[in-house]
């Protein structure tokens, strides 16, 4: 680090100019990112995806459907509106409600616009639909593509709202920490540059990688918070050193000490993010990719751009003094002394508090977000709710069964028809199945014998061939079972999970909302322990290498788990129980996984900041207790300020409208608050006091004191 620090101070001006050029270029691409974001990230390449595509390609069934709701409109007005949409080439079929009793009720009627699986970008189509339908009251559209587009818009609005709330408060916290305008603005400027550069790179990647709309919130949230935290640490160390050293020496010392902590902290965060890649669901891969890139650039700007800027600013860093910072060492000294005198009491009380906070976890209810993610103020959400209320679209869940004979049976034979009828009857015998749509039920025929008799009637030979062709194409056959359960229910998931394991004598696969949910749930449940193991093992070895200790990483991991458990309990209390003015809702399935992976790494920031300083004093010859006190006194203010900024930046998303983003923001803010107070300021120093010199024990380590 010494040679690297010398390089940064020597070439400070070219380094700053290089970063500015990179910022200008990538800012242009960053503006294009929102238009490249599609979907909510809940995509899994499994049976559901395969069957949906096959049904679209082989049987011409729609891959996506957009609903057009009409309220108090005449048949002429409905027909005219739907006819205006016929010029949109991407629409496969248009179903009109005129004359169709099932599509009309109490002044409401709805039509359907169906699309095949060749459509990649629905956003321009939705814009064109809205333009052609105009602003006419009583006509609105909804459906998964429309909801997805509106969540994209809501996410952009949420980002602006969160930054409008979070950044001014973060600036106030920085002013309280530094006392001068220049020093307070610098971390925000560096953080902004980090985020813009990352978004620009993601926009370039967006042409070859599917990116979720939630990337637009997670990346700025994480990038700003971490960049400002890193900058706070490095600037604070620079100012400390500036009291006794030159500008150049102070910058170099800050890079060698705070810079080292930043690198180890970032490694822990990147591991937490990277571990999500093992979960083969698009949103985890997106956040792992975007998060890792923004953390990497937070480190690079933190140890190159920031110190280079400090070199150029010099003592002008203290320009624009708002007030003088009063020394707080005496207060933290008293607090440290209090902790050192009562370590056992503090440990017992802190663990009891954390365990009490965990209690609501027993009631946690996890669901995959759908229309509920979108605020009720959006027309597409209101339209969907109206359709569900009036027509009960969610009452029966369709499950599509696609079977392939692969030369085992020809569907267009007696044996093949018997196999189809047998599968149909097995479905109907299941207590959860309300009805089945197959070639037999559509033709209203109750047996294979009746089918063959009707089809061989001399007066109408082959009368049923057209019906059969709708359900059989070459070696493929499909039917639809309608479940008497919601697609998001565990009952529906158990049904498709059990049926996927059945032996029907032919190869088959299922699709539908229930199958989609089941695959997502099973993929996360099956891989989350692997991700957790990667994080824990990797973090252990990184901290062991950083601090040359066995006990310190073990304590850090156990305390992180305690803190995260308390966080999940509080999330259930707030969102699921419906406290603090919030309507009771379920916890989004990804929240516990994302929060664990993100916060486990983020919270290690404070562990590294604190223990690095304690280790520094210990290696200088201080006793374990004195080193702990000195480390606590010198870092407590900076940890508190850094945590406040992290809480403000992430917690600002509590005031946003998209539910998954709201829950992620609140979850991270709570976890950081617990970590920076109960854990880092109370449990860590208490355990450091109890274990004494054993804190620094490592087998085969030579004594370097």
């Amino acid at each position: 680090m010494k040679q690297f620090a010398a390089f940064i101070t020597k070439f400070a001006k070219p380094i700053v100019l290089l970063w500015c050029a990179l910022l200008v270029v990538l800012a242009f691409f960053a503006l294009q990112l929102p238009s490249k974001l599609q979907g909510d990230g809940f995509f899994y390449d499994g049976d559901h995806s395969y069957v949906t595509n096959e049904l679209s390609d082989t049987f011409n069934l729609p891959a996506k459907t957009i609903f057009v709701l009409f309220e108090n409109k005449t048949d002429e007005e409905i027909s005219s509106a739907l006819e205006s949409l016929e010029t949109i080439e991407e629409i496969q079929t248009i179903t009109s409600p005129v004359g169709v009793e099932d599509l009309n009720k109490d002044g409401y009627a709805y039509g359907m616009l169906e699309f095949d699986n060749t459509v990649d970008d629905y956003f321009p189509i939705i814009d064109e639909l809205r333009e052609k339908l105009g602003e006419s009251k009583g006509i609105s559209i909804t459906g998964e593509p429309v909801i997805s587009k509106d969540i994209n818009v809501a996410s952009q609005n949420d980002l602006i709202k969160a930054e409008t709330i979070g950044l001014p408060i973060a600036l106030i916290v920085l002013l309280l920490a530094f006392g001068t305008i220049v020093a307070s603005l610098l971390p925000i400027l560096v953080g902004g540059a980090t985020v813009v550069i990352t978004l620009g790179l993601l926009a370039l990647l967006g042409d070859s990688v599917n990116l979720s709309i939630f990337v637009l919130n997670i990346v700025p949230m994480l990038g700003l918070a971490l960049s400002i935290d890193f900058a706070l640490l490095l600037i604070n160390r620079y100012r400390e050193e500036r009291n006794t050293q030159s500008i150049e020496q102070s910058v170099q010392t800050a890079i060698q000490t705070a810079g080292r902590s930043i690198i180890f902290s970032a490694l822990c965060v990147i591991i937490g993010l990277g571990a999500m890649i093992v979960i083969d669901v698009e949103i985890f891969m997106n956040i792992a990719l975007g998060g890792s890139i923004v953390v990497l650039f937070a480190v690079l700007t933190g140890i190159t751009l920031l110190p280079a800027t400090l070199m150029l600013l010099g003592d002008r860093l203290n320009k624009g003094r708002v007030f003088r910072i009063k020394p707080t060492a005496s207060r933290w000294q008293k607090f440290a002394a209090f902790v050192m005198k009562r370590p056992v009491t503090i440990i017992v009380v802190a663990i009891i508090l954390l365990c009490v906070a965990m209690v609501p976890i027993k009631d946690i209810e996890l669901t995959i977000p759908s229309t509920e993610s979108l605020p009720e103020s959006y027309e597409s959400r209101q339209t969907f709710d109206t359709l569900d209320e009036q027509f009960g679209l969610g009452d029966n869940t369709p499950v599509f069964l696609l079977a392939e004979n692969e030369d085992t049976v020809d569907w267009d034979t007696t044996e093949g028809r018997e196999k189809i009828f047998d599968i149909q009857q097995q479905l109907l015998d299941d207590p959860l199945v309300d009805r089945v749509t197959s070639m037999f039920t559509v033709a209203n025929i109750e047996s294979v014998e009746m089918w063959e008799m009707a089809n061989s009637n001399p007066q109408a030979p082959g009368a049923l061939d057209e019906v059969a062709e709708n359900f059989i194409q070459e070696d493929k056959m499909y039917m639809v079972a309608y479940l008497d359960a919601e697609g998001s229910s565990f009952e529906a998931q158990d049904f498709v999970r059990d049926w996927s394991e059945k032996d029907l004598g032919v190869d088959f696969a299922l699709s539908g909302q229930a199958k989609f949910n089941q695959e997502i749930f099973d993929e996360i449940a099956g891989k989350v322990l692997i991700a957790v193991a990667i994080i824990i093992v990797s973090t252990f070895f990184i901290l062991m290498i950083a601090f040359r200790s066995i006990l310190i990483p073990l304590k850090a991991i156990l305390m992180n788990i305690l803190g995260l458990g308390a966080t999940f309990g509080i999330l259930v209390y707030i969102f699921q129980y419906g406290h603090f003015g919030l309507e009771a809702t379920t916890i989004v399935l990804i929240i516990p996984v994302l929060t664990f992976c993100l916060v486990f790494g983020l919270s290690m920031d404070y562990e590294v900041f604190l223990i690095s300083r304690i280790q520094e004093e210990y290696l200088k010859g201080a006793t374990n207790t004195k080193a702990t006190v000195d480390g606590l006194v010198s870092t407590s203010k900076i940890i508190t300020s850094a945590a406040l900024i992290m809480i403000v930046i992430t917690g600002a998303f509590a005031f946003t409208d998209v539910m998954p983003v709201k829950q992620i923001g609140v979850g991270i803010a709570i976890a950081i608050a617990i970590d920076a107070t109960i854990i880092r300021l109370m449990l860590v120093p208490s355990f450091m006091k109890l274990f004494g010199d054993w804190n620094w024990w490592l087998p085969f380590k030579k004594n370097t004191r």
Side-chain angles (χ1 to χ4, degrees), residues 277-352:
I277 291 179
V278 302
I279 303 174
D280 192 16
V281 178
E282 196 172 80
I283 190 169
F284 292 110
M285 296 181 173
N286 284 177
I287 293 174
L289 175 66
S292 297
I293 292 174
V294 82
V295 173
L296 176 63
F297 275 96
V299 174
L300 291 175
T301 55
I303 62 174
T304 60
L305 175 60
L306 179 60
T309 306
L310 290 176
M311 269 296 296
L312 298 181
L313 285 174
D315 290 333
R316 283 173 293 185
L317 181 71
N318 298 318
K319 288 283 186 182
R321 184 169 294 282
V322 178
F323 49 80
R324 293 201 169 273
I325 304 298
K326 295 180 181 179
T328 58
S330 59
R331 279 180 290 177
W332 287 112
Q333 194 84 36
K334 291 177 183 177
F335 174 78
F338 173 81
V339 173
M340 292 297 101
K341 286 180 183 177
R342 303 169 180 84
V344 176
T345 303
I346 288 172
I347 289 170
V348 171
V349 171
I351 290 177
I352 289 173

Side-chain angles (χ1 to χ4, degrees), residues 236-237 240 328-340 609-639 680-681 685 688-689 696 705:
N236 183 71
R237 189 57 187 260
E240 281 183 19
T328 58
S330 59
R331 279 180 290 177
W332 287 112
Q333 194 84 36
K334 291 177 183 177
F335 174 78
F338 173 81
V339 173
M340 292 297 101
F609 294 171
L610 175 58
I611 301 298
S612 291
R613 202 56 183 267
I614 294 174
Q615 183 188 42
E616 199 176 319
E617 298 302 320
Y618 185 76
L619 292 176
K620 288 179 182 177
T623 64
N624 178 75
T625 300
K626 187 173 188 311
T628 302
V629 170
D630 291 346
L632 190 61
V633 169
S634 61
T635 61
S636 292
K637 180 185 175 183
I638 208 68
I639 287 177
R680 300 303 154 207
L681 298 182
M688 292 295 290
K689 166 68 175 178
W696 311 103
R705 293 188 63 184

Side-chain angles (χ1 to χ4, degrees), residues 71 154 259 262 400 430 457 464-465 548 603 617:
E71 184 178 359
I262 288 170
F400 296 85
D430 194 297
N457 188 334
L464 299 177
D465 288 348
R548 299 180 62 75
S603 60
E617 298 302 320

Side-chain angles (χ1 to χ4, degrees), residues 448-508:
V448 175
E449 292 78 7
M450 288 179 62
W451 177 283
E452 294 185 340
M453 286 175 61
N455 214 32
S456 60
N457 188 334
Q459 296 179 350
L464 299 177
D465 288 348
E466 188 175 341
V467 175
E469 285 176 7
N470 290 329
F471 293 90
I472 298 172
Q473 289 292 327
E474 297 178 357
D475 63 340
K476 295 181 176 64
M477 177 279 298
Y478 88 93
M479 64 180 66
V480 188
Y482 291 87
L483 307 186
D484 191 16
E486 291 186 4
S488 59
S489 67
F490 288 110
E491 199 175 14
Q493 289 181 45
D494 288 339
F495 172 88
V496 293
R497 188 180 291 112
D498 293 342
W499 262 82
S500 295
E501 300 299 321
K502 283 183 179 289
D503 181 7
L504 300 181
V506 291
D507 291 331
F508 73 98

Side-chain angles (χ1 to χ4, degrees), residues 503-578:
D503 181 7
L504 300 181
V506 291
D507 291 331
F508 73 98
L510 306 176
S511 73
Q513 185 189 1
K515 183 62 179 176
F516 167 77
N517 287 351
Q518 174 257 311
E519 287 182 329
I520 297 290
F521 264 93
D522 288 357
E523 174 65 16
I524 293 174
K527 301 284 184 64
V528 67
L529 290 180
I530 298 173
V532 168
I534 290 170
I535 293 170
I536 289 175
V537 172
S538 301
T539 301
F540 173 82
F541 282 107
I542 286 173
L543 294 182
M544 184 184 74
I545 293 167
F547 301 121
R548 299 180 62 75
S549 165
I550 293 290
L551 277 177
I552 286 174
L554 281 176
K555 288 184 298 180
I557 289 166
L558 290 173
M559 286 185 285
N560 261 17
I561 292 171
L562 272 176
L564 284 165
T567 298
F568 298 149
I570 296 171
L571 274 178
V572 172
Y573 179 82
I574 293 173
F575 288 100
Q576 203 168 302
Y577 293 176

Side-chain angles (χ1 to χ4, degrees), residues 42 214 218 222 272-273 276 279 283-288 524 528 535 564 568 588-602 660-661 663-665 667-668:
F42 283 91
F214 294 126
I218 300 297
L222 188 60
L273 290 163
M276 287 191 285
I279 303 174
I283 190 169
F284 292 110
M285 296 181 173
N286 284 177
I287 293 174
I524 293 174
V528 67
I535 293 170
L564 284 165
F568 298 149
V588 178
L589 175 64
I590 61 170
I591 301 302
V593 182
L594 281 180
T595 304
F596 185 93
C597 294
L598 285 171
V599 174
F600 202 94
L602 288 174
V661 175
Q663 290 184 356
I664 290 170
I668 293 174

